[in-house]
Amino acid sequence: MRRPRLQDVATEAGVSPATVSLVLRGSPGPSSGTRERVLDAAARLGYRPDRAASLLARRRSRLIGVVMDVRSTFHAQLVEDVHEAAEEHGYDLVLSTVTRTRDEGRAVETLLDSRCEALVLLGPNAPAARLSALARQLPVVAVGRPVSADGVDVVRAADDEGVAQAVEHLAGLGHRRIAHVDGGRGPIATARRRGYERAMRRRGLGEHLQVVGGDPGEESGARAARTLLGSDVRPTAVVAYNDASAVGLLDALLRRGVDVPGEVSVVGYDDSPLSRLAHIDLTTVSQDSAQLTRLAVAAVVERLDEGRTEQREVVVPPHLVVRGTTGPPTSS
């Protein structure tokens, strides 16, 4: 069956195609009666505007490309929030994923080939020079990562401050032997590790610094648990790089019969949907994903629709969400 066209709606409503176009765009001119006739005709015929053709005629795609790591539950939450914020401004998204076998460069190339007007990169790992080169082609917003790249807007949480809040919370409960499960070599992991080290020293706990190597995955937390449990002096609390690592840590502790938070308190980072599950109930640092994504989309809209040219960085204060995995130490 042939798809209804603009001319079909015009014939059905007894008006010109130009009038139908004005009504469907919500433009002034047609009377209320004419608008009602056109909308009724469009509904009866099942007419849907050819959005792609319309945008092409205006040389606009109104598509925002988003690069996400498919393995990250926090990125999944961010994408949901980006969708909502983009739709409020009349934009749609094209997603491109980073996987075990597909790197960030390939993901970006796919979005460029898809005629995206701007890129929102979630926790990008690309060097600053590569990001600057991209920004010379189209607006680029880096979410979650501090980066000094010419032309790139940055929207991020203060990661060092977030980890410091976790350390302060644990120290306030009476913990002194507080360890950190690292997230690897990336810039976000570096900021969180430095935040942990500075907070421990501010609290006079520098002699108890303990950083265990890891990565963003759950298995990293499980490996860290085995390392920590094998230490001569076990920590009474652990701050993990992210929620996934913290969940892996919790699982390994549970399997070894270690009570949480009785024997070991655990704090994650991201306040992902995983952390809120009743059987996990993880104390974690929230980055306020909705605020991060609103600001990221606003940065895109200011570039594309309002002509902003100056570079901008916005830092969103994180906050600790206390749940059931932290409590006072049972012994010093």
Side-chain angles (χ1 to χ4, degrees):
M1 183 178 179
R2 182 174 66 84
R3 176 177 176 175
R5 297 176 300 181
L6 189 77
Q7 179 63 59
D8 299 322
V9 177
T11 301
E12 181 77 9
V15 297
S16 68
T19 298
V20 173
S21 180
L22 288 172
V23 170
L24 296 180
R25 293 203 312 268
S27 301
S31 66
S32 58
T34 298
R35 290 181 186 279
E36 187 174 345
R37 288 206 316 278
V38 168
L39 294 175
D40 285 346
R44 287 196 302 273
L45 295 174
Y47 172 77
R48 293 184 62 191
D50 189 339
R51 180 176 181 272
S54 174
L55 291 172
L56 185 60
R58 287 180 279 155
R59 299 186 181 276
R60 295 290 305 272
S61 69
R62 298 198 73 83
L63 295 176
I64 299 173
V66 179
V67 172
M68 65 169 292
D69 189 328
V70 74
R71 296 158 293 184
S72 170
T73 57
F74 181 61
H75 282 194
Q77 177 66 52
L78 286 173
V79 166
E80 186 173 359
D81 291 334
V82 172
H83 260 298
E84 184 175 334
E87 287 178 350
E88 291 177 0
H89 293 280
Y91 284 86
D92 206 346
L93 302 188
V94 177
L95 300 182
S96 193
T97 57
V98 175
T99 70
R100 287 191 304 273
T101 59
R102 191 170 190 265
D103 65 16
E104 190 174 282
R106 175 79 180 279
V108 168
E109 287 175 4
T110 298
L111 296 175
L112 296 177
D113 291 342
S114 300
R115 295 187 66 249
C116 292
E117 294 190 65
L119 298 180
V120 173
L121 310 179
L122 306 183
N125 289 314
R130 171 60 177 155
L131 295 177
S132 294
L134 280 174
R136 288 193 289 271
Q137 300 179 56
L138 74 176
V140 175
V141 182
V143 178
R145 170 190 166 183
V147 57
S148 297
D150 291 342
V152 176
D153 291 324
V154 174
V155 178
R156 64 179 180 88
D159 284 302
D160 53 347
E161 179 184 326
V163 173
Q165 288 181 23
V167 171
E168 286 293 326
H169 167 66
L170 293 167
L173 290 171
H175 292 278
R176 294 178 59 78
R177 298 194 303 274
I178 304 169
H180 175 58
V181 179
D182 196 19
R185 300 173 60 184
I188 297 175
T190 299
R192 293 179 187 179
R193 180 173 61 253
R194 289 174 178 169
Y196 159 76
E197 292 170 348
R198 284 197 292 264
M200 289 288 285
R201 291 190 177 102
R202 275 200 307 269
R203 270 285 184 165
L205 302 176
E207 64 183 299
H208 299 295
L209 280 171
Q210 185 177 10
V211 177
V212 180
D215 59 53
E218 288 185 27
E219 180 55 34
S220 161
R223 289 195 303 270
R226 292 190 288 270
T227 299
L228 294 170
L229 291 176
S231 302
D232 292 335
V233 180
R234 294 183 182 181
T236 62
V238 183
V239 179
Y241 165 72
N242 64 4
D243 290 346
S245 176
V247 167
L249 180 72
L250 290 172
D251 181 68
L253 293 175
L254 177 64
R255 292 175 186 275
R256 294 285 292 270
V258 177
D259 180 57
V260 176
E263 296 177 68
V264 178
S265 287
V266 176
V267 181
Y269 204 113
D270 287 338
D271 193 25
S272 65
L274 189 65
S275 71
R276 304 167 206 160
L277 296 176
H279 66 286
I280 294 178
D281 199 30
L282 178 66
T283 295
T284 184
V285 178
S286 172
Q287 300 191 64
D288 194 348
S289 64
Q291 176 72 347
L292 288 174
T293 53
R294 279 196 299 270
L295 291 168
V297 171
V300 167
V301 172
E302 289 169 5
R303 291 272 193 180
L304 293 176
D305 297 349
E306 300 172 17
R308 176 173 61 85
T309 57
E310 73 275 10
Q311 190 172 346
R312 180 176 300 169
E313 179 179 37
V314 182
V315 181
V316 177
H319 64 277
L320 188 71
V321 180
V322 178
R323 298 192 179 103
T325 58
T326 53
T330 55
S331 60
S332 60

